């Protein structure tokens, strides 16, 4: 699987089944750019157990408002559509994999 770009319109649909990590960020955000390769590596390693989606908060403000996103990147973990954990700012692959395993 690859990291999937989502929008306000399909965010809920794409996060309602299984374990999903949603990366809410923006193209101009330095830490967001730093986390992108980490998410790609995580997808390669855990792609069968973890779906990863990305949302541009500038183009999709409704979802950012709904989840009270104040800083980016904000990483939201969903299990079958329910928000189970969130993390703000850059995180290592090991940290994210640990969170995913806790909820997997």
């Amino acid at each position: 699987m690859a990291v999937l770009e989502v929008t306000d319109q399909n965010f809920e649909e794409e996060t309602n089944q299984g374990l999903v990590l949603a990366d809410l960020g923006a193209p101009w955000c330095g830490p967001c750019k730093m986390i992108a390769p980490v998410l790609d590596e995580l997808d390669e390693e855990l792609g069968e157990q973890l779906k990863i989606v990305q949302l541009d908060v500038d183009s999709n403000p409704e979802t950012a408002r709904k989840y009270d996103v104040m800083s980016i990147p904000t990483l939201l973990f969903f299990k079958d559509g329910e928000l189970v954990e969130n993390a703000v700012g850059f995180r290592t692959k090991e940290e994210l994999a640990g969170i995913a395993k806790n909820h997997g």
Side-chain angles (χ1 to χ4, degrees), residues 32-81:
C32 301
K33 291 178 186 176
M34 289 172 47
I35 206 164
V38 171
L39 296 177
D40 288 337
E41 287 179 32
L42 197 61
D43 183 60
E44 284 180 30
E45 292 179 20
L46 299 177
E48 297 298 315
Q49 301 99 21
L50 177 69
K51 178 180 181 178
I52 302 174
V53 300
Q54 287 183 313
L55 179 103
D56 178 348
V57 297
D58 289 339
S59 301
N60 300 281
E62 289 175 32
T63 302
R65 264 194 300 277
K66 179 177 179 179
Y67 293 100
D68 296 322
V69 174
M70 302 303 281
S71 298
I72 54 173
T74 292
L75 306 165
L76 304 175
F77 286 83
F78 293 88
K79 177 74 175 196
D80 296 326

